[in-house]
Amino acid sequence: MPPDTVRIARGTIHPDPRDSQRWQYRSDWTASSAIDEEEEEEKQEERKKKKKKKKEDHLFEYAIIGKGMFGSAAAKYLADHSDSILLIGSDEPQDLRLHKGVFGSYYDSGRITRILDTEYVWALAAKRSIDRYRQIENDGGESFFHPVGCLRVMPDAINRRQYIAANEAIGDRLQATYERLSDDDLNRRWRYLRFPKNSLAIFETKNAGWIDPRKLVKAQQQIAAAKTDKGSHPCVQIIGETVVGKNILADGSIELKTDKANRFNAKRILVTAGGFANFNGLIERRLNLMPRAETTLRAEISQECAVNLKEMPCLIWFFDDHPNLHYVYIVPPVQYPDGRWYLKVGGDREAEHLFTCLAELETWFHSDGGAEAASDFRGILESLIPDMEALSWVSKPCVITDTATDRPYIGAIDENVFVAVGGCGAAAKSSDEFGRLAALCVRGEQDLSYGADAFHVLYEGEEDSGTRRQFHF
């Protein structure tokens, strides 16, 4: 480039006969600069489009729809065998009332965990998950397990004694640690709790208590995200979008469409969308799922009160004479993300309130739950802990996804489509194991220690021929 052109570009002007020519250089340079900027913007936009297209054109080996407790665990296990995994699902919304579409079942900070059960499959899945909690905490960098024990209290009756005996038999088989307690034992150990006379109790003392599902999900995703291929590229891509449709392509792969107008392709998909699995065109034939309402009530307490109740175990309390409830569960003081301490109580007050469409679920999650259920729960909590002074009461909507088998559905529903759904109100504690079983299923394998048909899938209109559990707890 001539020296004078460089000087003009820098704004240097010399009065000589060639000034008009110099101004022409300046004009040309200014126009050229503007064109260059426009071209650079166009190139950047084109690069963005190509990057988006490349992302959409990429064919994942596995896509997991739903990044809650089941899905996040499945992604972690699949990442041990594949470097091409998509984990996709909506993030937890800041305000449930403003959110539309899909909601997660892990939007909480306290869920009961324990091994004892009346059914071996549930107990085994719980034990295997609990045995891995500390490793998940270590690898995922999140502390979510609090082994305060799990106490079950019920009226002294023949059927309740049979219930306890069934728990003990399976507990012995799995080497769970527990003890039976009398009225006197209850009053001596937990003087601040008031139970009716003639109560039976069984207390699981080790590897039982409560977990924080938010932190569990975060730990599982962090473990999955940290797994890389030989080139140090992440094995799992995590996307915070909702899948709202799918197409089967000519080559047998599956195209997923999201609420953000993005498209992702995968060879196989695993649907872990809980009570929302039957919606948004995720599966061709509706599953026999029964999403039902549940209200939870939280009593806000002071930090001093929380310290005084620090030895309180998780509680499952059965009734024979309550007009509206068969049982309640109570989680001891937990510090929630807002920094406040809460006791949480829930139960089967709304077991008959079922949802049949997405709009009904949205309406429920936009509410405060059921006022009548909240009133019942408050009365029970105040009678159980009469010295407790609640600073406030907060009711929240929740959804339980029951199945026709009282076990999760884990299996293939099409050549390249698989499901792991239906926690039946008791699967948070066992979600790591159910995620592992789902990962095996997608890869064409099975853990036969549960039996060949333990988690078989039933479609709408089909019923289970087996014996269902008498008690969920």
Side-chain angles (χ1 to χ4, degrees):
M1 180 179 291
D4 58 336
T5 306
V6 175
R7 286 197 297 273
I8 292 170
R10 291 176 178 173
T12 304
I13 305 174
H14 296 276
D16 65 28
R18 296 178 297 174
D19 273 353
S20 61
Q21 185 180 2
R22 293 182 187 281
W23 280 107
Q24 183 63 43
Y25 286 150
R26 175 182 287 271
S27 177
D28 291 346
W29 177 83
T30 303
S32 174
S33 176
I35 292 172
D36 288 346
E37 289 179 3
E38 290 179 5
E39 289 180 348
E40 181 59 30
E41 289 178 359
E42 290 176 359
K43 289 178 181 179
Q44 289 181 2
E45 188 64 28
E46 187 64 26
R47 282 194 291 268
K48 288 180 182 179
K49 290 180 180 179
K50 287 182 178 180
K51 186 176 180 180
K52 179 179 179 181
K53 189 175 189 305
K54 183 178 179 181
K55 179 176 70 173
E56 292 180 347
D57 288 346
H58 176 74
L59 181 62
F60 290 94
E61 185 172 9
Y62 304 107
I64 302 169
I65 304 173
K67 57 188 185 72
M69 289 181 280
F70 282 18
S72 298
K76 176 189 71 175
Y77 285 108
L78 279 174
D80 290 331
H81 304 276
S82 173
D83 60 3
S84 180
I85 302 164
L86 172 66
L87 176 61
I88 187 167
S90 60
D91 296 318
E92 180 175 358
Q94 293 294 319
D95 188 341
L96 291 182
R97 293 179 182 276
L98 300 178
H99 180 70
K100 291 188 178 296
V102 174
F103 296 77
S105 61
Y106 66 93
Y107 305 161
D108 193 12
S109 295
R111 298 283 176 84
I112 293 177
T113 186
R114 39 81 187 176
I115 296 172
L116 292 184
D117 202 287
T118 57
E119 207 222 42
Y120 179 72
V121 166
W122 278 100
L124 178 60
K127 175 177 170 52
R128 288 179 172 175
S129 290
I130 293 168
D131 286 347
R132 296 192 288 263
Y133 282 173
R134 293 308 187 196
Q135 188 65 52
I136 298 170
E137 288 181 324
N138 183 68
D139 295 345
E142 295 288 335
S143 177
F144 60 83
F145 176 40
H146 303 268
V148 297
C150 182
L151 175 67
R152 269 172 277 191
V153 179
M154 61 210 75
D156 188 352
I158 293 177
N159 66 323
R160 301 302 186 182
R161 289 180 178 274
Q162 292 172 340
Y163 167 80
I164 288 181
N167 275 272
E168 290 175 331
I170 290 177
D172 292 343
R173 187 175 174 185
L174 294 174
Q175 299 180 320
T177 305
Y178 65 89
E179 56 183 303
R180 283 201 190 193
L181 300 177
S182 65
D183 279 347
D184 291 339
D185 294 328
L186 290 172
N187 294 329
R188 185 176 64 255
R189 286 202 184 186
W190 301 285
R191 297 182 182 277
Y192 47 84
L193 302 180
R194 299 288 186 270
F195 294 106
K197 292 183 178 180
N198 300 318
S199 293
L200 294 173
I202 183 169
F203 181 42
E204 191 170 353
T205 57
K206 185 180 178 182
N207 289 335
W210 60 272
I211 59 173
D212 184 327
R214 283 192 180 98
K215 292 183 177 180
L216 171 58
V217 167
K218 186 176 180 180
Q220 299 283 39
Q221 291 184 9
Q222 290 180 161
I223 296 171
K227 297 190 177 188
T228 60
D229 61 15
K230 293 180 180 179
S232 298
H233 301 109
C235 295
V236 181
Q237 183 175 343
I238 303 176
I239 301 292
E241 299 179 19
T242 300
V243 176
V244 295
K246 78 176 196 316
N247 292 318
I248 307 298
L249 303 181
D251 62 358
S253 64
I254 302 167
E255 179 189 63
L256 304 176
K257 296 177 288 186
T258 78
D259 59 343
K260 304 296 184 184
N262 288 316
R263 297 172 186 267
F264 301 91
N265 297 335
K267 294 179 182 178
R268 292 186 169 192
I269 66 170
L270 170 65
V271 178
T272 59
F276 294 84
N278 278 336
F279 311 123
N280 284 335
L282 300 182
I283 55 180
E284 300 299 326
R285 185 180 173 190
R286 290 172 66 98
L287 304 178
N288 191 344
L289 292 174
M290 293 157 278
R292 61 179 172 87
E294 180 173 273
T295 296
T296 63
L297 181 70
R298 298 202 305 249
E300 181 192 352
I301 58 175
S302 66
Q303 185 173 359
E304 180 183 2
C305 182
V307 170
N308 293 336
L309 296 175
K310 65 180 181 180
E311 301 298 327
M312 179 179 172
C314 292
L315 173 64
I316 300 170
W317 190 5
F318 294 97
F319 309 112
D320 281 344
D321 56 0
H322 195 284
N324 301 317
L325 290 158
H326 296 101
Y327 68 85
V328 294
Y329 62 86
I330 299 173
V331 181
V334 174
Q335 189 173 27
Y336 273 67
D338 63 4
R340 300 176 182 180
W341 291 88
Y342 296 95
L343 282 160
K344 188 183 83 169
V345 56
D348 66 343
R349 177 66 168 80
E350 297 148 314
E352 304 304 318
H353 184 170
L354 301 178
F355 302 105
T356 60
C357 66
L358 185 60
E360 292 175 353
L361 283 164
E362 281 188 0
T363 299
W364 174 248
F365 275 110
H366 290 163
S367 75
D368 292 324
E372 293 178 349
S375 177
D376 283 343
F377 295 152
R378 177 172 177 169
I380 287 170
L381 200 55
E382 288 178 331
S383 69
L384 177 68
I385 315 175
D387 295 332
M388 178 194 72
E389 293 185 7
L391 304 178
S392 68
W393 298 88
V394 181
S395 60
K396 294 288 185 179
C398 184
V399 168
I400 303 281
T401 305
D402 287 332
T403 69
T405 62
D406 279 329
R407 296 175 183 170
Y409 295 147
I410 303 176
I413 61 172
D414 208 337
E415 184 177 1
N416 294 316
V417 182
F418 303 79
V419 296
V421 295
C424 303
K429 65 184 184 298
S430 309
S431 58
D432 186 69
E433 178 67 357
F434 291 140
R436 185 185 75 87
L437 296 175
L440 285 175
C441 178
V442 173
R443 294 177 53 238
E445 299 179 11
Q446 186 178 11
D447 185 341
L448 294 176
S449 61
Y450 291 95
D453 206 29
F455 303 103
H456 65 283
V457 177
L458 290 179
Y459 296 94
E460 196 169 70
E462 295 180 340
E463 294 296 333
D464 184 46
S465 59
T467 301
R468 302 182 70 177
R469 288 190 298 168
Q470 184 178 3
F471 303 103
H472 278 281
F473 289 105

